Amino acid sequence: MNDGEKLFLNLLVLVLAILYWFTTGHIIPSILGAVIVFLYFFDETFGFVALVLSVLTLLFMIVLLFVDYYNFKEDDDAMKLGLSVLYMVVIYFKSKSIFNAE
């Protein structure tokens, strides 16, 4: 993967982490996503740590998605679900690109 693609993917993770926190109010997956990006900018040798954090982020997001589903209110909209799924997909692509898995 080229450096430009890695940079774009990291910025996409950072932007979606902020949007996810803004729409859902869940801070833990957002912080973990930001840590994954900052690990990449600090040193690329923390690949395994970033992979473990990616898995933890996905697990937290799945659990919080079910929590939000069971605590659904009428004023909730589809934006939470859409951004959650989009953030999960981007974290998946980020974790796949860590070791250039094809």
Side-chain angles (χ1 to χ4, degrees), residues 19-51:
L19 286 174
Y20 178 79
W21 169 71
F22 183 71
T23 57
T24 62
H26 304 305
I27 193 81
I28 295 173
S30 301
I31 290 174
L32 288 176
V35 167
I36 292 167
V37 171
F38 291 132
L39 277 177
Y40 170 76
F41 286 128
F42 181 68
D43 193 5
E44 287 189 29
T45 58
F46 291 118
F48 186 72
V49 175
L51 187 63

Side-chain angles (χ1 to χ4, degrees), residues 5-72:
E5 292 172 350
K6 288 181 183 179
L7 181 65
F8 175 73
L9 192 58
N10 285 320
L11 290 177
L12 192 61
V13 168
L14 193 61
V15 167
L16 282 174
I18 292 168
L19 286 174
Y20 178 79
W21 169 71
F22 183 71
T23 57
T24 62
H26 304 305
I27 193 81
I28 295 173
S30 301
I31 290 174
L32 288 176
V35 167
I36 292 167
V37 171
F38 291 132
L39 277 177
Y40 170 76
F41 286 128
F42 181 68
D43 193 5
E44 287 189 29
T45 58
F46 291 118
F48 186 72
V49 175
L51 187 63
V52 169
L53 287 177
S54 298
V55 170
L56 283 175
T57 304
L58 286 173
L59 288 176
F60 273 120
M61 289 179 65
I62 290 169
V63 167
L64 290 173
L65 191 68
F66 282 113
V67 167
D68 284 344
Y69 176 75
Y70 287 116
N71 295 329
F72 183 74

